[in-house]
Amino acid sequence: MAHYDVIVIGAGNGGLASAATLAVNHKKVAVFEKHNIPGGCGTSFRRGRFEFEVALHQLNGMNTKERPGPTRQLFRKWGVEDAIEWIPIETLYKINLPGGRGVALPADKKKACQLLCKEFPAEAEAIRRYFQMVWKFNEEIADFLAKSAASPANPSELKKFITKTGFPKIYKVLARYGVRSTQDVLDEFFKSRELQLCLSAYWCFMGMPPERFPFSILARCMYLYTVDKPYYVRGGSQVMSQALMDTIRRHGSEVFLNCGIRRILLKNGRAVGVEDENGNAHYAHKIISNVSPTITYAGLLKDEEVPEACRQYFKSYTTGISALTCFIGLDCPPEDIGFTDSFNLIYDSLDANQDFKNAYFTNTKADPIVATCYTIDDPCVSPPGTSIITAGTLKYGEAWEKLSPEEYHRTKYEAADQIIRRLETRFPGLREHIEEMEVATPLTHMRYLGHPGGAIYGYEQDLKSSVFFFPQDEFIPGLTFSSGWVNTCGFGPNYAYGDKIAQSILKEGR
Amino acid sequence: MSGKPIKDMIIGTMRNGPETLKELEMAKKTGKDISQERDVVKKKVAQYHPSVLHLVVSEIEAVSPIAKRIRLVSEDGYLPPFEAGQYINVFCEIDGVRTSRPYSLSSSAKQRAFYEITVAAVDGGFVSGYLLQCLKPGDRLEANGPAGVFHYHPVFHSKKSVFLGGGSGITPFVSMIRTVLESGEDREITLLYGSRTEEAAMYHEELSAFAKKHSNFHYTLILSDEEKEGMEHGFLNAARIQAHVPDILDCTYYLCGPAVMMEFCRKALEELQIPGRSIRREVFGTRRDIWNEPGWPEGMTGEEIFHIQIGEKQIEAKSGESVLTALERSGVRVNVCCRSGECSLCRVQLVSGKVFTAQGALLRYADECFGYIHSCKAYPISDLELRF
Ligand SMILES: Cc1cc2nc3c(=O)[nH]c(=O)nc-3n(C[C@H](O)[C@H](O)[C@H](O)COP(=O)(O)OP(=O)(O)OC[C@H]3O[C@@H](n4cnc5c(N)ncnc54)[C@H](O)[C@@H]3O)c2cc1C
Ligand code: FES
């Protein structure tokens, strides 16, 4: 009977990050992963001469070796910074507006601001004010976090201070914009819908339309991606996942692949171990679930083991969005079909909120399209003279779950065909250069991730369920969570959160 | 105010804060209970990709002197949908060794009452011999799949398909042809089937009858070892493809058959300047004489014996046999599906030692950085230490 300090269920980004920090700090950890390869979302697959990245678009928090951002610092701590080739990206994203107009935003505050002022001269003043506000917003967050961290043992100190002075007085910008939607804030600043679309892009990283996307996450993304620059990784996210798995093993801890967990074992209401799919029990002082809380509570525990308060608590969280993605290998370089920037958001109308409503259906006639050409970030990503593009839209799983098996393949190809047709109006010749193509639907994501609805970003992250309200409360002693379900999703945030969870376990142990 | 948690207190003072808190309270009242999610994902995934297919043999019938079609029904009545051209990987235990082999489904994808596979005898074949000689109706088989990417992809394949099949490589085409013709799909198919003799050609009658009945299906049997009236004699070469396919640049080509024939057809298509993107291939396993493959270490015969350390276990392995075969032979359980290097299920870490990697192993970049191999396509050429 094996006994560990910590058991981690799932080798996704959150699970690997927690396990790596614990292992590096001499804890005996066992990670159990049901798939044959580590990474969860952070993985890739091969078709013909191509290797397709599944999830990573742009990594944040890297910055340079000399001025390491938080993500780079973690990889340094885990001892694998130099095992990976990091590739900086100079452009944040390109917004492709209806009618063919395109705006590519440089990853530099001044340049981005200048470009937008040039593109939208009537609103130049507002653009400058907006950028100032976004930066101030982030400074206030940094200050607030520093103050909270300085008195963790005594929150009442902070509380007294805030009560006395009043939060809005100390943190003016935070108080004004901290719990508002992106659309709401952009409407306050700008008239032009086109300009708004040029600034709201990151909504697609969280799967919430601008009218529900918390402005505070947009402001964080804008700031962090600009300051630390977006990065890509040679070989894709699978390289990071594998590097983390090897770190864990190198420090004497275990990663068991092809070994799903079917139950969490409780003793007197406390999580004490797990049972794997072969019926073997493994025990530990602490269990970290990298699996969604939904599946953890409703799949790995019995109904009667889940406290009523827990069920009540999760009622306000709804399963998030999934995606329909076309993984495309072309037999020509990107410039042959007019692809110039790596990360593209493509709108065929100016009403992103309305277009987003199509996410509840299987067809892709109106949805904004996200298209990434990895070849532009890293020309070595596929053989010379070829290129890789992934193009897709965000889709809720429900409509796909309702399909009968007979309808599935046809529906999937129709949706993909519609995306290609729409892309071809901007990138003529795209279809005839396709050499390989795979289509992933919400059901594909459900299969590989095991998430309800095939969700790729966890629960819906609107104002009431993210930022201040992530479902981080714990209900079963000994059981905690580390994943994009309980925290901002994305690679950088999940590595950071995984590390944070590990740090708190290390502290408990002392 | 001081009784409230600090978070709520702060948010209450922010713009849109009180409204957000109210919304949260509402959502708590109306939301769905997570206990309703129990098994939802599991059941949905199983509808498309059950972890194991429990099959029962319902019928066996010869389709040539060396091949039989085997009809399989599901033990619980449910078979997942597949795309014509895909395969299932059939498990069996022979002489105490648990192994598996992929077989293309040859039945129409438009019905799921049964699956049909067609197994041809391979000289000295371990599993084909067993399936052909020992299997009988009523027997149970486990399988995984359906899987594979050798199928029509409407988004980028031409509606005009050219199938170039050789020997048992006809099986996926039989499924594709049945699927298209039975459902009246708007597609045009030209099949050039290379066989040694007319007798050895599988499904010849059914295919001929289809060709008579359907104007969008053209079928030519090409015999290499026999001259017969009304049939072509020779090999599947460029001239022949050109003769049977009017608009050669407008088609998608699908190749399936023995390695030699595949190579021959590849060259023919190259000669005809068919772009690579219009050519799809399915290779039925790795060549048996791996030591004749380009890159095989000079001086090695395929008979050398090496030791493989895996966990606590040490086993013997022959250089001419895949690492996967060696592991299965000694009772180590390995995840597998395609057995042809594509799916990565058989991936293991090569801690030390050297392997020869056969053609067609679709490794990831990370595998090469961190030393992982696909055991079905890796041959030991030194003592090895492996880790799952
Ligand atoms: C995707 C896929 C689909 C397949 N579909 C079919 C099918 O529909 N019908 C069918 O009969 N077989 C099919 N095969 C081949 C089948 O899986 C087995 O390889 C075959 O039955 C031989 O297995 P065996 O155990 O009898 O031979 P083994 O004991 O495995 O020995 C045969 C050896 O020769 C190689 N070999 C296998 N087949 C051939 C061949 N035709 N010519 C030369 N060498 C060969 C094998 O890789 C092995 O090294 C398919 C293979 C793949 C990968
Ligand atoms: S079994 Fe598919 S790669 Fe080896």
CSV table of all heavy atoms in Angstrom, one decimal, chain B residues 58-98:
chain,number,residue,atom,x,y,z
B,58,SER,N,-20.9,-13.1,-35.3
B,58,SER,CA,-22.2,-13.6,-35.7
B,58,SER,C,-22.2,-14.4,-36.9
B,58,SER,O,-23.0,-15.3,-37.1
B,58,SER,CB,-23.2,-12.4,-35.8
B,58,SER,OG,-22.9,-11.6,-36.9
B,59,GLU,N,-21.2,-14.2,-37.8
B,59,GLU,CA,-21.2,-14.9,-39.1
B,59,GLU,C,-19.7,-14.9,-39.6
B,59,GLU,O,-19.0,-13.9,-39.4
B,59,GLU,CB,-22.0,-14.1,-40.1
B,59,GLU,CG,-23.3,-14.6,-40.4
B,59,GLU,CD,-24.0,-13.7,-41.5
B,59,GLU,OE1,-23.5,-13.7,-42.6
B,59,GLU,OE2,-24.9,-13.0,-41.1
B,60,ILE,N,-19.3,-15.9,-40.2
B,60,ILE,CA,-18.0,-16.0,-40.9
B,60,ILE,C,-18.2,-16.5,-42.2
B,60,ILE,O,-18.9,-17.5,-42.4
B,60,ILE,CB,-17.0,-16.8,-40.1
B,60,ILE,CG1,-16.8,-16.3,-38.6
B,60,ILE,CG2,-15.6,-16.8,-40.8
B,60,ILE,CD1,-15.9,-17.1,-37.8
B,61,GLU,N,-17.6,-15.9,-43.2
B,61,GLU,CA,-17.8,-16.4,-44.6
B,61,GLU,C,-16.5,-16.1,-45.4
B,61,GLU,O,-15.9,-15.0,-45.3
B,61,GLU,CB,-19.0,-15.6,-45.3
B,61,GLU,CG,-19.4,-16.3,-46.5
B,61,GLU,CD,-20.4,-15.4,-47.3
B,61,GLU,OE1,-20.8,-14.3,-46.8
B,61,GLU,OE2,-20.8,-15.7,-48.4
B,62,ALA,N,-16.2,-17.1,-46.3
B,62,ALA,CA,-15.0,-16.9,-47.1
B,62,ALA,C,-15.3,-15.9,-48.2
B,62,ALA,O,-16.3,-15.9,-48.8
B,62,ALA,CB,-14.5,-18.2,-47.7
B,63,VAL,N,-14.3,-15.0,-48.5
B,63,VAL,CA,-14.5,-14.1,-49.6
B,63,VAL,C,-13.4,-14.3,-50.6
B,63,VAL,O,-13.4,-13.6,-51.7
B,63,VAL,CB,-14.5,-12.6,-49.1
B,63,VAL,CG1,-15.7,-12.2,-48.4
B,63,VAL,CG2,-13.2,-12.2,-48.3
B,64,SER,N,-12.5,-15.1,-50.3
B,64,SER,CA,-11.4,-15.6,-51.3
B,64,SER,C,-10.8,-16.8,-50.6
B,64,SER,O,-11.1,-17.1,-49.5
B,64,SER,CB,-10.4,-14.5,-51.5
B,64,SER,OG,-9.4,-14.6,-50.5
B,65,PRO,N,-10.0,-17.5,-51.4
B,65,PRO,CA,-9.4,-18.7,-50.8
B,65,PRO,C,-8.6,-18.4,-49.5
B,65,PRO,O,-8.4,-19.3,-48.7
B,65,PRO,CB,-8.5,-19.3,-51.9
B,65,PRO,CG,-9.0,-18.7,-53.1
B,65,PRO,CD,-9.6,-17.4,-52.8
B,66,ILE,N,-8.1,-17.2,-49.4
B,66,ILE,CA,-7.3,-17.0,-48.2
B,66,ILE,C,-7.9,-15.9,-47.3
B,66,ILE,O,-7.3,-15.5,-46.3
B,66,ILE,CB,-5.9,-16.5,-48.6
B,66,ILE,CG1,-6.0,-15.2,-49.4
B,66,ILE,CG2,-5.1,-17.6,-49.3
B,66,ILE,CD1,-4.8,-14.3,-49.1
B,67,ALA,N,-9.1,-15.5,-47.5
B,67,ALA,CA,-9.7,-14.4,-46.7
B,67,ALA,C,-11.1,-14.7,-46.3
B,67,ALA,O,-11.9,-15.3,-47.0
B,67,ALA,CB,-9.6,-13.1,-47.4
B,68,LYS,N,-11.5,-14.2,-45.1
B,68,LYS,CA,-12.9,-14.4,-44.6
B,68,LYS,C,-13.4,-13.0,-44.1
B,68,LYS,O,-12.6,-12.3,-43.6
B,68,LYS,CB,-12.9,-15.4,-43.5
B,68,LYS,CG,-12.6,-16.8,-43.9
B,68,LYS,CD,-12.7,-17.7,-42.7
B,68,LYS,CE,-12.4,-19.2,-43.1
B,68,LYS,NZ,-12.2,-20.0,-41.9
B,69,ARG,N,-14.7,-12.9,-44.3
B,69,ARG,CA,-15.3,-11.7,-43.7
B,69,ARG,C,-15.9,-12.2,-42.4
B,69,ARG,O,-16.5,-13.2,-42.3
B,69,ARG,CB,-16.3,-11.0,-44.6
B,69,ARG,CG,-17.5,-11.8,-45.0
B,69,ARG,CD,-18.3,-10.8,-45.9
B,69,ARG,NE,-19.5,-11.5,-46.4
B,69,ARG,CZ,-20.6,-11.6,-45.6
B,69,ARG,NH1,-20.7,-11.2,-44.4
B,69,ARG,NH2,-21.7,-12.3,-46.1
B,70,ILE,N,-15.7,-11.4,-41.3
B,70,ILE,CA,-16.2,-11.8,-40.0
B,70,ILE,C,-17.2,-10.7,-39.6
B,70,ILE,O,-16.8,-9.5,-39.5
B,70,ILE,CB,-15.0,-11.9,-39.0
B,70,ILE,CG1,-14.0,-12.9,-39.5
B,70,ILE,CG2,-15.5,-12.2,-37.6
B,70,ILE,CD1,-12.7,-12.9,-38.8
B,71,ARG,N,-18.4,-11.1,-39.3
B,71,ARG,CA,-19.4,-10.2,-38.9
B,71,ARG,C,-19.4,-10.1,-37.3
B,71,ARG,O,-19.4,-11.2,-36.7
B,71,ARG,CB,-20.8,-10.6,-39.4
B,71,ARG,CG,-21.4,-9.5,-40.1
B,71,ARG,CD,-22.7,-9.9,-40.7
B,71,ARG,NE,-22.8,-9.4,-42.0
B,71,ARG,CZ,-23.9,-9.2,-42.7
B,71,ARG,NH1,-25.1,-9.6,-42.1
B,71,ARG,NH2,-23.9,-8.8,-43.9
B,72,LEU,N,-19.5,-8.9,-36.8
B,72,LEU,CA,-19.4,-8.8,-35.3
B,72,LEU,C,-20.6,-8.0,-34.9
B,72,LEU,O,-20.9,-6.9,-35.4
B,72,LEU,CB,-18.1,-8.1,-35.0
B,72,LEU,CG,-16.8,-8.8,-35.4
B,72,LEU,CD1,-15.7,-7.8,-35.4
B,72,LEU,CD2,-16.5,-9.9,-34.5
B,73,VAL,N,-21.3,-8.5,-33.8
B,73,VAL,CA,-22.3,-7.7,-33.2
B,73,VAL,C,-21.9,-7.3,-31.8
B,73,VAL,O,-20.9,-7.9,-31.3
B,73,VAL,CB,-23.7,-8.4,-33.2
B,73,VAL,CG1,-24.2,-8.7,-34.6
B,73,VAL,CG2,-23.6,-9.7,-32.4
B,74,SER,N,-22.6,-6.3,-31.2
B,74,SER,CA,-22.2,-5.9,-29.9
B,74,SER,C,-22.9,-6.7,-28.9
B,74,SER,O,-24.1,-7.1,-29.0
B,74,SER,CB,-22.6,-4.4,-29.8
B,74,SER,OG,-22.7,-4.1,-28.4
B,75,GLU,N,-22.2,-7.0,-27.8
B,75,GLU,CA,-22.7,-7.8,-26.7
B,75,GLU,C,-23.9,-7.1,-26.1
B,75,GLU,O,-24.9,-7.7,-25.7
B,75,GLU,CB,-21.6,-8.0,-25.7
B,75,GLU,CG,-21.7,-9.4,-25.0
B,75,GLU,CD,-20.5,-9.7,-24.2
B,75,GLU,OE1,-19.5,-10.1,-24.9
B,75,GLU,OE2,-20.4,-9.4,-23.0
B,76,ASP,N,-23.8,-5.7,-25.9
B,76,ASP,CA,-24.9,-5.0,-25.3
B,76,ASP,C,-25.8,-4.3,-26.3
B,76,ASP,O,-26.6,-3.5,-26.0
B,76,ASP,CB,-24.3,-4.0,-24.3
B,76,ASP,CG,-23.5,-2.9,-25.0
B,76,ASP,OD1,-23.5,-2.9,-26.2
B,76,ASP,OD2,-22.8,-2.1,-24.3
B,77,GLY,N,-25.6,-4.6,-27.6
B,77,GLY,CA,-26.5,-4.1,-28.6
B,77,GLY,C,-26.1,-2.7,-29.2
B,77,GLY,O,-26.7,-2.2,-30.1
B,78,TYR,N,-25.0,-2.1,-28.6
B,78,TYR,CA,-24.7,-0.8,-29.1
B,78,TYR,C,-23.3,-0.7,-29.8
B,78,TYR,O,-22.3,-1.2,-29.2
B,78,TYR,CB,-24.7,0.3,-28.0
B,78,TYR,CG,-24.4,1.7,-28.5
B,78,TYR,CD1,-25.4,2.4,-29.0
B,78,TYR,CD2,-23.1,2.2,-28.5
B,78,TYR,CE1,-25.1,3.7,-29.6
B,78,TYR,CE2,-22.8,3.4,-29.0
B,78,TYR,CZ,-23.9,4.2,-29.5
B,78,TYR,OH,-23.6,5.4,-30.1
B,79,LEU,N,-23.3,-0.2,-31.0
B,79,LEU,CA,-22.0,0.0,-31.7
B,79,LEU,C,-21.8,1.5,-32.0
B,79,LEU,O,-22.8,2.1,-32.5
B,79,LEU,CB,-21.9,-0.8,-33.0
B,79,LEU,CG,-21.8,-2.3,-32.8
B,79,LEU,CD1,-22.0,-3.0,-34.2
B,79,LEU,CD2,-20.5,-2.8,-32.2
B,80,PRO,N,-20.7,2.1,-31.7
B,80,PRO,CA,-20.5,3.5,-32.0
B,80,PRO,C,-20.4,3.8,-33.5
B,80,PRO,O,-20.1,2.9,-34.3
B,80,PRO,CB,-19.2,3.8,-31.3
B,80,PRO,CG,-18.5,2.6,-31.1
B,80,PRO,CD,-19.5,1.5,-31.1
B,81,PRO,N,-20.7,5.0,-33.9
B,81,PRO,CA,-20.6,5.4,-35.3
B,81,PRO,C,-19.2,5.4,-35.7
B,81,PRO,O,-18.3,5.6,-34.9
B,81,PRO,CB,-21.2,6.8,-35.4
B,81,PRO,CG,-21.0,7.3,-34.0
B,81,PRO,CD,-21.1,6.2,-33.1
B,82,PHE,N,-18.9,5.2,-37.0
B,82,PHE,CA,-17.6,5.3,-37.5
B,82,PHE,C,-17.6,6.0,-38.9
B,82,PHE,O,-18.7,6.2,-39.5
B,82,PHE,CB,-16.9,4.0,-37.6
B,82,PHE,CG,-17.4,3.0,-38.6
B,82,PHE,CD1,-16.8,2.9,-39.8
B,82,PHE,CD2,-18.6,2.3,-38.3
B,82,PHE,CE1,-17.3,2.0,-40.8
B,82,PHE,CE2,-19.1,1.4,-39.3
B,82,PHE,CZ,-18.5,1.3,-40.5
B,83,GLU,N,-16.4,6.3,-39.4
B,83,GLU,CA,-16.3,6.9,-40.7
B,83,GLU,C,-15.7,5.8,-41.6
B,83,GLU,O,-14.7,5.2,-41.3
B,83,GLU,CB,-15.5,8.1,-40.7
B,83,GLU,CG,-16.1,9.2,-39.9
B,83,GLU,CD,-15.4,10.6,-40.1
B,83,GLU,OE1,-15.6,11.2,-41.2
B,83,GLU,OE2,-14.7,11.0,-39.2
B,84,ALA,N,-16.4,5.6,-42.8
B,84,ALA,CA,-15.9,4.5,-43.7
B,84,ALA,C,-14.5,4.7,-44.0
B,84,ALA,O,-14.0,5.8,-44.4
B,84,ALA,CB,-16.8,4.6,-45.0
B,85,GLY,N,-13.7,3.6,-43.7
B,85,GLY,CA,-12.3,3.6,-43.9
B,85,GLY,C,-11.5,3.4,-42.6
B,85,GLY,O,-10.4,3.1,-42.6
B,86,GLN,N,-12.3,3.6,-41.5
B,86,GLN,CA,-11.6,3.4,-40.2
B,86,GLN,C,-11.5,2.0,-39.8
B,86,GLN,O,-12.1,1.1,-40.4
B,86,GLN,CB,-12.5,4.2,-39.1
B,86,GLN,CG,-12.3,5.7,-39.2
B,86,GLN,CD,-12.9,6.4,-38.0
B,86,GLN,OE1,-14.1,6.2,-37.7
B,86,GLN,NE2,-12.2,7.3,-37.4
B,87,TYR,N,-10.7,1.7,-38.8
B,87,TYR,CA,-10.4,0.3,-38.4
B,87,TYR,C,-10.8,0.1,-36.9
B,87,TYR,O,-11.0,1.1,-36.2
B,87,TYR,CB,-8.9,0.0,-38.5
B,87,TYR,CG,-8.0,0.9,-37.7
B,87,TYR,CD1,-7.8,0.5,-36.4
B,87,TYR,CD2,-7.5,2.0,-38.2
B,87,TYR,CE1,-7.0,1.3,-35.6
B,87,TYR,CE2,-6.7,2.8,-37.4
B,87,TYR,CZ,-6.4,2.5,-36.1
B,87,TYR,OH,-5.6,3.3,-35.3
B,88,ILE,N,-10.9,-1.1,-36.5
B,88,ILE,CA,-11.0,-1.4,-35.1
B,88,ILE,C,-9.8,-2.3,-34.8
B,88,ILE,O,-9.2,-2.9,-35.6
B,88,ILE,CB,-12.3,-2.2,-34.7
B,88,ILE,CG1,-12.5,-3.5,-35.5
B,88,ILE,CG2,-13.5,-1.3,-34.8
B,88,ILE,CD1,-13.6,-4.4,-35.0
B,89,ASN,N,-9.3,-2.2,-33.5
B,89,ASN,CA,-8.2,-3.0,-33.1
B,89,ASN,C,-8.7,-4.2,-32.3
B,89,ASN,O,-9.2,-4.0,-31.2
B,89,ASN,CB,-7.2,-2.1,-32.3
B,89,ASN,CG,-6.0,-2.8,-31.9
B,89,ASN,OD1,-5.4,-3.6,-32.7
B,89,ASN,ND2,-5.5,-2.6,-30.7
B,90,VAL,N,-8.5,-5.4,-32.8
B,90,VAL,CA,-9.1,-6.6,-32.2
B,90,VAL,C,-8.1,-7.3,-31.3
B,90,VAL,O,-6.9,-7.5,-31.7
B,90,VAL,CB,-9.5,-7.6,-33.3
B,90,VAL,CG1,-10.0,-8.8,-32.7
B,90,VAL,CG2,-10.5,-6.9,-34.2
B,91,PHE,N,-8.5,-7.5,-30.0
B,91,PHE,CA,-7.6,-8.2,-29.1
B,91,PHE,C,-7.9,-9.7,-29.1
B,91,PHE,O,-9.0,-10.1,-29.3
B,91,PHE,CB,-7.9,-7.6,-27.7
B,91,PHE,CG,-7.3,-6.2,-27.5
B,91,PHE,CD1,-8.1,-5.1,-27.8
B,91,PHE,CD2,-6.1,-6.0,-27.0
B,91,PHE,CE1,-7.6,-3.8,-27.7
B,91,PHE,CE2,-5.6,-4.7,-26.8
B,91,PHE,CZ,-6.4,-3.6,-27.2
B,92,CYS,N,-6.8,-10.4,-28.8
B,92,CYS,CA,-7.0,-11.8,-28.6
B,92,CYS,C,-5.9,-12.4,-27.8
B,92,CYS,O,-4.8,-11.8,-27.7
B,92,CYS,CB,-7.2,-12.6,-29.9
B,92,CYS,SG,-6.0,-12.1,-31.1
B,93,GLU,N,-6.1,-13.5,-27.2
B,93,GLU,CA,-5.1,-14.2,-26.4
B,93,GLU,C,-4.8,-15.5,-27.1
B,93,GLU,O,-5.7,-16.4,-27.2
B,93,GLU,CB,-5.6,-14.4,-25.0
B,93,GLU,CG,-4.4,-14.7,-24.1
B,93,GLU,CD,-4.8,-14.7,-22.6
B,93,GLU,OE1,-5.5,-13.7,-22.1
B,93,GLU,OE2,-4.4,-15.6,-21.9
B,94,ILE,N,-3.6,-15.6,-27.5
B,94,ILE,CA,-3.2,-16.8,-28.3
B,94,ILE,C,-2.0,-17.4,-27.5
B,94,ILE,O,-1.0,-16.7,-27.3
B,94,ILE,CB,-2.8,-16.5,-29.7
B,94,ILE,CG1,-3.9,-15.7,-30.4
B,94,ILE,CG2,-2.5,-17.8,-30.5
B,94,ILE,CD1,-3.6,-15.1,-31.7
B,95,ASP,N,-2.1,-18.7,-27.2
B,95,ASP,CA,-1.0,-19.4,-26.5
B,95,ASP,C,-0.5,-18.5,-25.3
B,95,ASP,O,0.7,-18.4,-25.0
B,95,ASP,CB,0.2,-19.6,-27.4
B,95,ASP,CG,-0.1,-20.4,-28.6
B,95,ASP,OD1,-1.1,-21.2,-28.6
B,95,ASP,OD2,0.5,-20.3,-29.7
B,96,GLY,N,-1.5,-18.0,-24.6
B,96,GLY,CA,-1.1,-17.2,-23.4
B,96,GLY,C,-0.6,-15.8,-23.6
B,96,GLY,O,-0.3,-15.1,-22.7
B,97,VAL,N,-0.5,-15.4,-24.9
B,97,VAL,CA,0.0,-14.1,-25.1
B,97,VAL,C,-1.2,-13.2,-25.6
B,97,VAL,O,-1.9,-13.5,-26.5
B,97,VAL,CB,1.0,-14.1,-26.3
B,97,VAL,CG1,1.4,-12.6,-26.6
B,97,VAL,CG2,2.2,-14.9,-25.9
B,98,ARG,N,-1.3,-12.1,-24.8
B,98,ARG,CA,-2.4,-11.1,-25.2
B,98,ARG,C,-1.8,-10.1,-26.2
B,98,ARG,O,-0.9,-9.4,-25.9
B,98,ARG,CB,-3.0,-10.4,-24.0
B,98,ARG,CG,-4.1,-9.5,-24.3
B,98,ARG,CD,-4.6,-8.8,-23.0
B,98,ARG,NE,-5.3,-7.6,-23.3
B,98,ARG,CZ,-6.6,-7.5,-23.6
B,98,ARG,NH1,-7.4,-8.6,-23.6
B,98,ARG,NH2,-7.2,-6.3,-23.8
